[in-house]
């Protein structure tokens, strides 16, 4: 990869992508970053040797791709400052909720791809949902895929509103896993294990179960049924969760996350 890439925002997600790109062979001097906070600029310099700029400027005109790693609340203001320097450029947004119509209007470019990554991207094990506007070419898509591949897997979506579902499922999903890990660790500690023992068991259980699904190709429901013998310990646990509507409550929580993603678009994404 030898195309110049600019990042608007230099936080964790931008750093994950930058780290992956450099490992993939992109020279750090082909990466520009606009980051208003001095502490974040200092971290980028220390980690990657990149001197980030505090504000947009003419240097952005050399970028083949502009990656938007800003908070939804600040997207519009940042976009209006960048737009004069990036006419017709390819833009990749990882901001939750902000719709491509708004992005295209603010930046005066129809070459817009929206992405919803998740935090395992920080260690190259993420999963990212992608949606492209109709003006994005096959070559543009290939370029975006190459960039996102540095953080893990990706999949293209046919409809933009599916990104709100991706946000609720995999975007917020790591927090759900951590939440259940917390509960399992707490229960294990209450029942006599040390916190370290309980956490080790919980972490290994999640990673092992995920690997089993990927390796066997079997549906989670099938794998669950295989280890749930009627009258056994797993049956007792699953029955307790079913009696307390844990599944329904969890599905409700995902709907709440999807609705919040929609609200972010309504609140901060009006063109």
């Amino acid at each position: 990869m030898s195309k110049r890439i600019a990042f608007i925002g230099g936080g964790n997600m931008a750093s994950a992508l930058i780290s992956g790109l450099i490992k993939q062979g992109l020279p750090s001097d082909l990466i520009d970053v606009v980051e208003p906070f001095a502490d974040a600029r200092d971290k980028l310099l220390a980690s990657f040797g990149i001197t980030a700029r505090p504000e947009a400027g003419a240097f952005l005109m050399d970028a083949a791709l502009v990656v938007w790693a800003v908070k939804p609340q600040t997207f519009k203001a940042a976009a209006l400052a960048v737009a004069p320097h990036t006419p017709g450029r390819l833009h990749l947004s990882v901001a939750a909720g902000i719709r491509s119509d708004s992005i295209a209007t603010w930046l005066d470019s129809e070459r817009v791809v929206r992405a919803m990554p998740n935090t395992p991207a920080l260690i190259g094990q993420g999963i990212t949902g992608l949606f492209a506007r109709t003006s994005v070419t096959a070559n543009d898509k290939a370029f975006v895929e190459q960039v996102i591949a540095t953080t893990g897997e990706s999949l293209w979506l046919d409809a933009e509103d599916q990104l709100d579902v991706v946000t609720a499922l995999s975007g917020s999903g790591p927090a759900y896993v951590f939440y259940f890990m917390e509960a399992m660790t707490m229960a294990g500690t209450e029942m006599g294990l040390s916190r370290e023992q309980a956490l080790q068991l919980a972490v290994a259980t999640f990673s092992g179960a995920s690997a089993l699904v990927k390796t066997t190709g079997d549906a989670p429901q099938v794998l669950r049924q295989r280890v749930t013998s009627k009258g056994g310990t797993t049956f007792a646990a699953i029955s307790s969760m079913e009696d307390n509507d844990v599944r329904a409550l969890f599905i409700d929580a995902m709907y709440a996350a999807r609705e919040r993603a929609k609200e972010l678009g309504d609140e901060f994404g009006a063109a």
Side-chain angles (χ1 to χ4, degrees):
M1 187 185 298
S2 60
K3 294 180 179 179
R4 192 168 199 87
I5 299 176
F7 288 81
I8 311 302
N12 287 337
M13 192 54 63
S15 293
L17 286 164
I18 290 169
S19 176
L21 287 166
I22 290 174
K23 289 176 183 175
Q24 196 180 73
L26 182 69
S28 59
D29 59 6
L30 287 181
I31 299 174
D32 294 306
V33 182
V34 177
E35 171 50 63
F37 295 104
D39 287 348
R41 293 199 301 274
D42 292 342
K43 187 175 179 181
L44 289 165
L45 181 61
S47 299
F48 310 113
I50 293 173
T51 302
R53 322 284 184 102
E55 58 187 22
F59 62 91
L60 292 172
M61 297 187 74
D62 295 327
L65 171 68
V66 182
V67 181
W68 290 85
V70 297
K71 295 184 183 301
Q73 297 90 325
T74 62
F75 200 126
K76 183 176 183 179
L80 295 179
V82 167
H85 310 293
T86 58
R89 291 298 187 277
L90 175 62
H91 295 272
L92 171 63
S93 169
V94 298
I98 305 299
R99 300 181 187 111
S100 68
D101 282 344
S102 298
I103 297 171
T105 298
W106 296 336
L107 293 168
D108 194 24
S109 175
E110 287 295 319
R111 296 170 66 206
V112 175
V113 176
R114 282 187 59 197
M116 175 44 58
N118 61 7
T119 53
L122 298 171
I123 58 169
Q125 295 187 38
I127 179 73
T128 299
L130 296 167
F131 170 78
R133 290 177 70 81
T134 55
S135 294
V136 175
T137 67
N139 286 338
D140 288 340
K141 285 186 174 183
F143 188 19
V144 167
E145 287 174 0
Q146 192 175 8
V147 171
I148 293 298
T150 65
T151 66
E153 302 177 47
S154 65
L155 73 160
W156 288 98
L157 304 168
D158 297 324
E160 185 167 4
D161 61 3
Q162 291 177 320
L163 278 174
D164 293 333
V165 183
V166 173
T167 300
L169 201 159
S170 58
S172 298
Y176 312 153
V177 175
F178 303 147
Y179 187 81
F180 278 100
M181 281 185 183
E182 288 179 60
M184 291 169 70
T185 301
M186 183 180 297
T189 302
E190 289 177 356
M191 290 188 281
L193 297 175
S194 69
R195 185 185 178 283
E196 291 74 19
Q197 288 173 323
L199 179 59
Q200 182 180 352
L201 289 164
V203 171
T205 298
F206 270 94
S207 61
S210 296
L212 191 61
V213 174
K214 291 192 75 169
T215 302
T216 64
D218 292 331
Q221 180 183 7
V222 171
L223 293 169
R224 174 179 59 79
Q225 290 170 343
R226 285 179 187 163
V227 297
T228 309
S229 303
K230 192 166 185 177
T233 57
T234 307
F235 181 82
I238 297 295
S239 295
S240 176
M241 285 190 268
E242 290 293 300
D243 289 344
N244 286 284
D245 288 330
V246 171
R247 186 200 303 260
L249 291 172
F250 185 60
I251 292 171
D252 285 347
M254 289 184 57
Y255 273 95
R258 186 189 68 170
E259 289 309 304
R260 182 53 184 155
K262 289 181 178 180
E263 290 170 1
L264 285 171
D266 292 338
E267 187 174 355
F268 302 112

